[in-house]
Amino acid sequence: MATVTVEINGRPYAVGCADGQEDRVRLLARQFDGHVRQVAGEVGHVGDIRLFLMAGLMLADELHEARANGGTPPADAPPATDGVAEALNAVAARLEKIAQGL
């Protein structure tokens, strides 16, 4: 098993992967980092976990749309961030209430 250090939002993370998959992990990490930085630019610094959650949901939304459209989003499709930020803020608010109750 190989270990790759990737940088997400300016911080290094060690990630284990199968031997020979290091370049793919680096590529995927750069893609994820781009989404994390996009979210951070839109909502500011809200903590790494929330940024990662939001970026992960954006990627999941993109994947869902791609699968639903045979791999290609329709030309008139809104950006993946439409509605996602509102939903994430609602989820974050619920999580904060739960955390306060602990």
Side-chain angles (χ1 to χ4, degrees):
M1 174 166 266
T3 301
V4 177
T5 300
V6 298
E7 189 173 296
I8 308 294
N9 203 30
R11 292 191 173 167
Y13 293 90
V15 179
C17 64
D19 290 332
Q21 293 297 309
E22 297 89 349
D23 288 340
R24 180 154 177 83
V25 169
R26 287 185 193 100
L27 174 71
L28 295 172
R30 282 192 301 273
Q31 181 181 15
F32 182 69
D33 182 52
H35 281 76
V36 170
R37 290 176 184 270
Q38 177 184 349
V39 171
E42 293 173 4
V43 300
H45 186 70
V46 293
D48 287 345
I49 292 174
R50 283 182 74 182
L51 287 176
F52 288 12
L53 171 64
M54 292 175 178
L57 288 173
M58 285 174 61
L59 284 166
D61 184 54
E62 289 176 11
L63 177 60
H64 175 77
E65 288 297 315
R67 285 180 175 165
N69 295 298
T72 305
D76 63 342
T81 58
D82 281 3
V84 174
E86 288 178 27
L88 290 172
N89 284 332
V91 170
R94 279 189 246 144
L95 290 173
E96 287 172 1
K97 284 183 182 179
I98 292 169
Q100 288 173 356
L102 295 178

